[in-house]
Amino acid sequence: MHVATGNAFFHTPKRSVYYLCARMYNLIKKILFRFPPEQIHYQVMKGLQVLHHLPMGKKLVHTFCMPANKRLERQLWGLTFKNPVGLAAGFDKDAKYTDELASLGFGFVEIGTVTPIAQPGNDQPRLFRLPADKALINRMGFNNGGAVAAAKRLQKRRSDIIIGGNIGKNKLTPNDEAISDYEKCFHSLFDVVDYFVVNVSSPNTPNLRALQEKEPLKQLLHHLQTLNSLKSKPKPILLKIAPDLTNSQLDDIIEIIQETKLAGIVATNTTISREGLKTPESEVTAIGAGGLSGLPVKERATEVIRYIHQHTGGNVPIIAVGGIFTAADAQEKLDAGASLVQVYTGFIYEGPTIVKKICEGLK
């Protein structure tokens, strides 16, 4: 493969640029993966912030990462998404990097999970790579600086990227008081986000998934929708669900979504399953508890999306998450019934050009 040098580089075929960027990132990734995942995450994002503020830095990032296909615009919930590829919650928990992430080409960014009161999350180490499976295991535990602090940062952002607010409850809040936590987050973030996602499906906060049961979930969503209806311009509220639900449980979710008139579903969160991994069982066991994301979740996430789409007649918009690394992966989710897609683990393994590569490869 011949790659031109100098100014001619920017006129090389797209495929050549992609190959070059992929090769460069594969080399860089070998270095990055030698450091603890959580530590290197913050170092890389600080580096991106510095680059973003250099005179030519932002332009350079745009050149390599910004999708050029304007035909991929999506209209949903009265919002215009520049492209259907977003960043899933968990990456920018505290809304510290929204402007920098916008320059990487994302069509939208979901911040959080945010809780009413700042909390440190679970003990470290709590984030682990499984390179053989192109996967991650995390038990972060909703570490964040609180909803009010996140709102203040979002008030100062410069980009117009669509922002989702993923909200949850504090670890020490008992489930019978959880509604109050979600309400506080809702009020704190309402003026600075474009849509909300109710997170009751993380496996890393004790007893949180019990809120996915029919009655407590119905009460929570009814309450939030009542608060939403009192606003002059209500915001879309979505529910994020686990991939580990049975079809019977999915039927309950669908019934609740339709009854509460929620705007949509985010499918899916991480899984507690460890089936079919290539990583040695001893290594997986040593890592311990946590949610598994990445390629191993791909098939199940697609199954859940297809099930929901078919059993709602396509009337419930779905944001797809789980095992999206390539344009083909994203297309699979869209063909199954998703309206938008999100990446997280794929972003870690594929690098900063993932949005551009996916967008250029979509139909």
Side-chain angles (χ1 to χ4, degrees):
M1 179 184 72
H2 173 70
V3 178
T5 58
N7 292 334
F9 170 80
F10 296 101
H11 301 288
T12 57
K14 291 178 183 177
R15 188 172 298 274
S16 298
V17 175
Y18 290 161
Y19 280 145
L20 179 62
C21 290
R23 289 178 65 183
M24 287 174 60
Y25 184 70
N26 282 335
L27 291 174
I28 295 170
K29 186 168 65 177
K30 290 179 181 179
I31 299 172
L32 298 180
F33 276 27
R34 293 184 179 183
F35 294 89
E38 191 170 353
Q39 173 191 334
I40 203 65
H41 167 79
Y42 291 111
Q43 291 179 352
V44 168
M45 293 313 297
K46 286 178 182 177
L48 180 60
Q49 280 185 322
V50 171
L51 179 61
H52 194 260
H53 289 92
L54 292 176
M56 293 295 291
K58 187 175 180 180
K59 184 177 181 180
L60 184 65
V61 173
H62 271 239
T63 299
F64 284 102
C65 302
M66 189 64 68
N69 190 351
K70 294 184 178 180
R71 293 176 297 174
L72 290 175
E73 266 192 8
R74 295 288 194 276
Q75 299 286 334
L76 197 60
W77 308 305
L79 301 171
T80 301
F81 295 79
K82 293 180 180 178
N83 67 69
V85 184
L87 182 64
F91 190 92
D92 189 10
K93 292 177 178 290
D94 287 306
K96 291 180 177 179
Y97 312 113
T98 53
D99 289 337
E100 289 77 16
L101 292 167
S103 71
L104 294 179
F106 286 103
F108 59 109
V109 169
E110 194 171 304
I111 64 126
T113 296
V114 172
T115 56
I117 302 172
Q119 61 180 26
N122 295 322
D123 294 338
Q124 298 189 34
R126 53 193 181 183
L127 181 61
F128 309 88
R129 305 183 190 97
L130 279 62
D133 294 287
K134 298 186 78 170
L136 299 172
I137 290 176
N138 93 84
R139 52 171 176 269
M140 304 299 288
F142 290 174
N143 56 304
N144 74 106
V148 173
K152 288 180 179 178
R153 292 190 190 94
L154 289 173
Q155 287 172 349
K156 298 177 182 178
R157 68 189 180 94
R158 297 180 179 181
S159 68
D160 62 352
I161 191 169
I162 289 174
I163 300 292
N166 188 299
I167 57 177
K169 79 173 188 71
N170 281 110
K171 182 178 181 178
L172 297 180
T173 302
N175 278 8
D176 58 2
E177 298 176 19
I179 287 179
S180 176
D181 275 15
Y182 287 93
E183 178 178 337
K184 290 172 184 175
C185 291
F186 176 81
H187 286 309
S188 295
L189 293 175
F190 187 86
D191 292 330
V192 292
V193 301
D194 298 292
Y195 70 89
F196 283 96
V197 176
V198 178
N199 188 354
V200 292
S201 52
S202 169
N204 302 316
T205 295
N207 302 316
L208 181 72
R209 284 191 169 191
L211 293 175
Q212 288 183 123
E213 295 299 325
K214 193 171 185 178
E215 288 310 312
L217 182 58
K218 191 184 296 185
Q219 291 175 17
L220 171 60
L221 297 180
H222 267 303
H223 184 71
L224 290 175
Q225 283 290 60
T226 299
L227 295 175
N228 202 26
S229 68
L230 298 175
K231 300 289 187 178
S232 58
K233 293 183 178 180
K235 299 284 174 76
I237 300 179
L238 290 77
L239 175 69
K240 189 165 188 175
I241 62 173
D244 308 308
L245 299 174
T246 64
N247 286 349
S248 176
Q249 289 173 314
L250 288 176
D251 290 337
D252 287 342
I253 293 290
I254 291 168
E255 179 185 327
I256 293 169
I257 292 291
Q258 293 173 333
E259 181 180 327
T260 58
K261 296 180 171 57
L262 235 61
I265 291 177
V266 180
T268 63
N269 212 320
T270 58
T271 180
I272 57 175
S273 171
R274 299 293 188 265
E275 291 183 11
L277 295 180
K278 298 176 183 177
T279 303
E281 185 177 352
S282 58
E283 185 178 333
V284 176
T285 301
I287 289 172
L292 176 72
S293 63
L295 207 55
V297 190
K298 176 184 171 182
E299 184 176 346
R300 178 56 186 162
T302 303
E303 289 174 355
V304 170
I305 291 161
R306 184 175 291 112
Y307 187 92
I308 293 170
H309 181 73
Q310 291 176 349
H311 286 75
T312 60
N315 292 320
V316 175
I318 302 169
I319 298 180
V321 200
I324 299 172
F325 289 73
T326 66
D329 297 334
Q331 192 67 57
E332 177 183 288
K333 296 290 194 286
L334 296 172
D335 291 343
S339 300
L340 303 167
V341 301
Q342 291 178 329
V343 297
Y344 183 137
T345 306
F347 183 34
I348 303 300
Y349 280 90
E350 299 298 310
T353 60
I354 186 171
V355 178
K356 187 169 186 174
K357 288 188 284 188
I358 289 176
C359 286
E360 294 296 342
L362 287 176
K363 294 177 184 177

